[in-house]
Amino acid sequence: MQAKLIFTSLTLISPFFFWGTAMVAMKGIIPHTAPLFLAGTRSLPAGILILITAAIMGKPQPTGWLAWWWIICFALMDVTLFQSFLAEGLEKTTAGLGSVMIDSQPLIVALLCLWLFQEHIGLWGWLGLLLGVLGITLISLPDEWFFQIFHDSVLTIGNWQDLFASGEWLMLLAAFSMAIGTVMIRFVSKYADPVTATAWHMILGGLPLWGASYVTESQQWENLLGWEWIALGYATVFGSAIAYGLFFYFASKGNLTNLSSLTFLTPVFALLFGNIFLSENLSFLQWVGVGLILPSIYLINQRHNIARNHEVTVEQPSIL
């Protein structure tokens, strides 16, 4: 029983580990390739691998125009737009910071689920989300911003222009795209199996990326070294095929707010492996941000238990 619980927990966490480490792998090879080609390679071949796996598992293929309509919309939002923003933004930011900007999306998912599915968040859930977003903010924004807030109390127009021109802004757009895609799987799974739908949405979403790369980019693979092909394969197989297959399977079954909160773990893995392989270091404020992420996940996933325990404590009569 204990072994099964450990296996389930590791399986649930694995997509976020693969995403974080794939971010480091992508950052390491992107100087020798092109962003749209990289985005397409992470998507289309991974979709084919998932489709083959789904066939081996005996999963049914999508049927009916509603199923394909939702898969196409899913592909556009979660693959074409998300991977485009991700790959373009990764050129202008670090693997760790890019990851944490994307991983601000649990707040967006929570708001969408509250509106669409009436998923209860509660006081402790909101506190967890706010802690997570605060952690993301401390990690992703330059320290100078915070020092200037305390010194001048305002940010200049130039500061905002610098942010909107940076890779972090593109990563934030990627977060919106991923959040909407996460919520869409609930609608997609009404009309198609979530595993095969995930496969087809990666294939259909990856085709425009490769097409755009063919038209607008050059020397997409000529300069890649041997180890970089291995890193690209890792990002495709583990960072896309396995990670997305597991994530959207879980998303179609469980509480989206709880699952999405685990996305806060991705930057922890990205920062750790970015430090090991890319020598990316964090400032004191950024480490404080990292320190806020784990309690935020705990509060979100345990919000119902915490609320119940708090109510019991309040209702117990005093012995005095």
Side-chain angles (χ1 to χ4, degrees), residues 78 105 109 178-186 247-248 251 256:
D78 189 68
Q105 57 95 14
V109 171
M178 182 179 180
I180 294 172
T182 299
V183 173
M184 286 180 71
I185 190 62
R186 282 283 182 85
F247 178 79
F248 285 116
L256 288 179

Side-chain angles (χ1 to χ4, degrees), residues 55-73:
I56 294 173
M57 295 171 63
K59 298 290 185 180
Q61 292 296 314
T63 56
W65 70 270
L66 270 176
W68 286 106
W69 164 256
W70 277 109
I71 290 173
I72 291 171
C73 293

